Amino acid sequence: MKQAAAPSNRKMVQVSEAKGLRRSQVWARLRKDKWIYALLTPGLLYFIIFKYVPMWGVLLAFKNYQPFLGFWKSDWVGLEHFRVFFQNPEFVMLLRNTLLLSLYNLVFYFPAPIVLALLLNEVKVNMYKRTIQTLIYVPHFISLVIVASLTYVFLTTQGGLVNELLQKYMGHKIDFLASPEWFRPMIIIQTMWKECGFGTIIFLAALAGVDVEQYEASIVDGANRWRQLWHITLPSIRSTIVILLILRMGDVLDNGFEQIFLMLNPLNREVAEVFDTYVYMMGITQGAFSYSTAVGLFKAVIGVILVLGANWTAKRFGQSGIY
């Protein structure tokens, strides 16, 4: 028995020594790069304080929160709020509006920065290229409140520029701001105008890393600009496009509260109300804190599932994915 136990003891000692060696290596690396890790501290504190600590708040979705009882003393109700939400007649409307806006964004907005970056990449005069980049970056820094105000000024039936032109040349006006059929195109156009230019930054950085020798070799082989674009440029930035598309899938149920809220009115609510504005209405204006938390948690869970599913699909097709 003593002879059988000896190898086991030696193995335990070896494992312990290996752990001690790894621990000392980690501490040596931390001491060596201490200033680099010190630079990480503000970012880590931000995520811990504002991202991870508030996660305890999701417990509110499983409680019937009463402010006078407090967080911990409020009654547990389990999945009751989720059941009420799914049985709510407005659930189908909210899901339809949210998914349609996300689909339009995916079809029209997502490819726009890619196309714009490809066009800018073809501009060879640096002065023109920098000027165009500056002009298309500026809208990103404009507040959404200003964007909504500009939209109102241009589209209102009371002296709006667009409606004045329609009245002059077509003989009638269109109430864009109150028409449900115009709400989604209006939101997509706002998003494209504001964010397309800034969205080209990542793709221009990816294009800067394309090997110039590939273009030179293709010219020798007789390839024109379209062939170079299809066989060299797009494959070179494909991984960037896939990663951004995967991350975009996490925002399918997140259309942005501020933009929708500013353009929402009683006449277009049927197509404009989405999960973000619904959470605000139920949680802030009506005080249904637990119910609105359940809706927000539903959005978050669906977002995680979509990101993981998109990442798995990308890997199945030979792409690197996000992890």
Side-chain angles (χ1 to χ4, degrees), residues 137-158:
Y137 289 170
V138 168
H140 171 77
F141 301 99
I142 297 177
S143 168
L144 280 170
V145 176
I146 304 299
V147 174
S149 300
L150 290 172
T151 304
Y152 178 82
V153 169
F154 278 101
L155 300 181
T156 180
T157 56
Q158 304 300 319

Side-chain angles (χ1 to χ4, degrees), residues 83-123:
R83 184 187 64 79
V84 173
F85 176 54
F86 295 143
Q87 293 179 353
N88 191 328
E90 292 188 329
F91 173 74
V92 176
M93 178 195 72
L94 294 170
L95 185 63
R96 181 186 67 246
N97 294 342
T98 304
L99 291 179
L100 280 175
L101 272 177
S102 294
L103 178 63
Y104 290 167
N105 271 313
L106 202 61
V107 172
F108 296 105
Y109 166 66
F110 182 78
I114 303 173
V115 174
L116 193 55
L118 293 173
L119 293 174
L120 285 172
N121 193 53
E122 295 298 319
V123 179

